[in-house]
Amino acid sequence: MSILAPAATRSARTRLRPLDIRNVRLDPSGLLGRRQRVNGEATIPHLVEQLERTGAVDNFRRLAGTSEADFRGLLFSDSDVYKTIEAIAWEMGRTGTTAFDAWLDEVIGLMAAVQQPDGYLNTWIQGVHPELKLQVLAWNHEMYMLGHWLQAAITLDRATGRRDLLDLAEKFVTLIDRTFGPGGERDGIPGHEEIETALVELHRHTGEERHLRLAQHLVDQRGKGILDGGNMGQRYFQDHAPVRESFDPTGHAVRQLYLNAGVTDLVIEGADEALAEAMRQQWERTHERKMYITGAFGSRHRDEAFGNDYELPSDRAYAETCATIADLQWTWRMSLIEDDRRHADVIERELHNALPASLDDTGTRFFYSNPVQRRPDRFSEGSAPAERVEWYECPCCPPNIARVIAQLSGYVAATRPDGGFELLQYASCEIDLPAGTLRVETDYPRSGLVRLSIEGDAPEAAVGLRVPGWVTSGRVRIAGRDRAITADELAAGRVELSGSDADGAEIEFDLRPRWTASHPRVDATRGCVALERGPVVYCVEQVDLGESAQVDDLRIDPTVAVNEQADQPAGEDAIAPPLAVSATAWTDARPLLRDALAEEERSDEHQVDVRLVPFATWGNRGPGAMRIWLPRLSEH
């Protein structure tokens, strides 16, 4: 059976090799394991229920003649079904569940019944606009949906050995290859990228070179102006320049990040150095100039797009959940080929902030956009509601969240070509070794302590323990003796242990809260600070201030001590403890415009104790004002 893991490559070009998720079992009482458990018990069943309620599955029945309902949903609603199947497949591989077998049987049976003889399947085109079949590539998402179909089918085959969904998908791939591939009937590229990485994974799964060639061809066709961008322009679709010459992320954020994941897959499989260098520069600029502190991306509502460098508004951040997921997939692939400690740091930031903030504690209500500030008078918009909702008109994010959480254990550890083993993310889990089991015990990131033990034979090769970039000090216990993490280990981002020393080893990081300053080029947050503790970003919610002050009136002195609070509201202690600081607040609103040189009156301000909570938990106590970046108290 093929390995069931994210980016399951065996390429000699990789620095790391993913582990099968069946060999990494997250403790369901730990933070990441609890998220997987809720995902399997609540989120995935909720997705199936919503797909039935909103008509996404009924659209297939309509074509099959078993439903008389009109087409419902957006033109790409099929993809939400495919992403849900993928989430189920990961869950089946992880737990062996059969709870969704009947639903899968029906949906895959419907797909087989309505697929056209040439392999084409799209319920909106076939049932509403058959004349548009493969005619409007910029907007109709046909190849995007096929990409999600492929990823679901490959995962299902790897998890269970069930090939029927993959057999159907390969027929559609053959049609795309014949029409738009090398030597095809005409030029064409997807308006919404996603198929590229799926085709590379199909190549890995089947061994067929034609799938790799098709992925490479679709990437090489970009920059030729093939797509009709209309008033959105070519940048929106990443069709403004060849990929090898595109060093700045631009346009629709999810499209760009999915494209980069696919291009990096091609690099892993041996693509030329020009593509590799383009990905290095894209990654650098994306994460140094266009990433929110939470690990979110995309600053513009109008086209769900990246803005200019350092254009990162807080209250108007779009920060689509799918963009974080796409970046996690891209950054994971970059970490497999580049020895850059920042990759694991970014994944950690995403896993503990932007991703968990996108859904509530029940796993059944979601954010589509994820602002880092919520003003008290902010009204709900279609994809930017004031509080999480159970579904969206464009429900791309909920099933995307589910498929990523279902595979979380695949991001925890990896092996090296020399047989070495690396812990990349810290979570309570069991990991299968060649002749034993490695147990990881930790309450990370609430605690900085991680304990290791081995049952059975210790690995012969080295075990690498990641040292996150935010760490400034810590200790390691080896063979019962403590020592400080060295400066070289801090710089390298790794503590290396022999396999025998891993049994009984401990590593502990200093988790003292720290204030982070905003980059001075980010106008929206210039002069502001944000509170972090380990990988966790904190925020202030109006619900914790009551009548004592308004969130937007707070000013912070970052030299004042930060205290961990003893009172732990239900659920929050699983992430990190609330933190308390003393802040200055205005009691009255100041004029909108005032003399900048005038002496400020001190009588209209007062001290207030401020409670900050992990951003990942915000909004669970109802809608209201929130902010991460707090203005720094100026000197009088």
Side-chain angles (χ1 to χ4, degrees), residues 402-591:
R403 73 183 183 120
V404 168
I405 293 179
Q407 59 183 274
L408 275 184
S409 47
Y411 297 103
V412 169
T415 58
R416 299 189 298 230
D418 63 2
F421 175 86
E422 290 198 15
L423 268 180
L424 302 171
Q425 303 296 330
Y426 291 109
S428 291
C429 62
E430 292 182 347
I431 302 173
D432 291 335
L433 301 173
T437 301
L438 174 67
R439 284 192 169 85
V440 182
E441 296 179 79
T442 183
D443 198 18
Y444 189 89
R446 175 177 175 75
S447 165
L449 176 62
V450 182
R451 293 191 176 98
L452 308 180
S453 62
I454 295 176
E455 184 178 293
D457 294 339
E460 296 180 2
V463 174
L465 304 180
R466 171 174 161 262
V467 179
W470 51 264
V471 173
T472 57
S473 63
R475 69 171 182 91
V476 183
R477 169 165 286 198
I478 303 173
R481 301 182 63 181
D482 285 352
R483 67 166 175 83
I485 298 175
T486 68
D488 287 344
E489 289 168 335
L490 288 172
R494 184 182 300 112
V495 171
E496 289 278 335
L497 306 177
S498 68
S500 57
D501 284 340
D503 189 20
E506 294 181 359
I507 190 167
E508 186 170 19
F509 308 122
D510 185 351
L511 277 174
R512 280 177 294 183
R514 64 192 185 278
W515 289 104
T516 299
S518 171
H519 195 288
R521 291 188 183 178
V522 182
D523 290 331
T525 53
R526 184 182 287 121
C528 293
V529 291
L531 191 59
E532 297 183 272
R533 181 183 180 272
V536 177
V537 176
Y538 281 74
C539 68
V540 179
E541 288 190 87
Q542 187 63 49
V543 66
D544 289 317
L545 288 172
E547 301 297 324
S548 64
Q550 296 296 309
V551 166
D552 288 343
D553 291 338
L554 297 176
R555 294 180 297 164
I556 292 291
D557 179 356
T559 66
V560 173
V562 177
N563 301 307
E564 296 188 8
Q565 291 194 326
D567 60 314
Q568 306 285 328
E572 286 189 358
D573 59 337
I575 298 174
L579 302 177
V581 297
S582 179
T584 298
W586 293 95
T587 56
D588 298 303
R590 291 179 288 176

Side-chain angles (χ1 to χ4, degrees), residues 167-179:
D167 290 339
L168 299 176
E170 286 188 290
K171 294 178 183 178
F172 200 166
V173 172
T174 298
L175 172 63
I176 295 298
D177 197 4
R178 184 172 66 246
T179 308

Side-chain angles (χ1 to χ4, degrees), residues 101-162:
D101 282 2
W103 187 79
L104 288 174
D105 287 344
E106 183 191 6
V107 172
I108 296 172
L110 286 168
M111 293 173 65
V114 303
Q115 185 175 33
Q116 294 181 345
D118 63 359
Y120 186 85
L121 173 55
N122 179 303
T123 62
W124 183 75
I125 294 290
Q126 290 171 247
V128 182
H129 284 290
E131 76 281 3
L132 298 181
K133 177 179 175 180
L134 297 178
Q135 296 302 310
V136 189
L137 297 181
W139 298 110
N140 284 353
H141 288 56
E142 289 145 302
M143 283 190 263
Y144 164 81
M145 287 188 281
L146 175 56
H148 280 302
W149 179 357
L150 280 170
Q151 288 178 316
I154 293 167
T155 306
L156 188 61
D157 190 18
R158 288 174 175 167
T160 69
R162 180 172 184 167

Side-chain angles (χ1 to χ4, degrees), residues 206-318:
T206 64
E208 293 192 32
E209 290 293 324
R210 66 188 178 101
H211 303 315
L212 190 64
R213 288 195 299 270
L214 176 57
Q216 184 71 66
H217 180 73
L218 293 176
V219 167
D220 290 343
Q221 291 291 91
R222 291 200 169 269
K224 297 182 178 181
I226 292 173
L227 297 174
D228 179 7
N231 62 0
M232 303 301 287
Q234 299 297 330
R235 287 182 178 273
Y236 176 81
F237 302 99
Q238 296 77 44
D239 192 28
H240 61 293
V243 174
R244 290 169 180 78
E245 301 171 14
S246 299
F247 302 134
D248 292 302
T250 189
H252 190 278
V254 178
R255 285 169 163 87
Q256 176 73 80
L257 294 168
Y258 274 150
L259 172 63
N260 291 354
V263 173
T264 304
D265 269 329
L266 288 171
V267 172
I268 288 172
E269 296 302 321
D272 57 86
E273 180 58 27
L275 277 181
E277 181 59 25
M279 289 301 95
R280 291 188 198 102
Q281 294 203 36
Q282 275 260 358
W283 197 92
E284 180 81 25
R285 298 183 191 193
T286 299
H287 296 85
E288 294 298 324
R289 305 179 188 185
K290 300 190 179 187
M291 181 179 74
Y292 282 97
I293 189 173
T294 58
F297 303 86
S299 59
R300 296 182 178 178
H301 281 241
R302 177 181 176 269
D303 45 8
E304 301 184 323
F306 287 110
N308 299 315
D309 286 351
Y310 307 104
E311 181 188 332
L312 295 168
S314 294
D315 54 346
R316 291 298 295 168
Y318 197 68

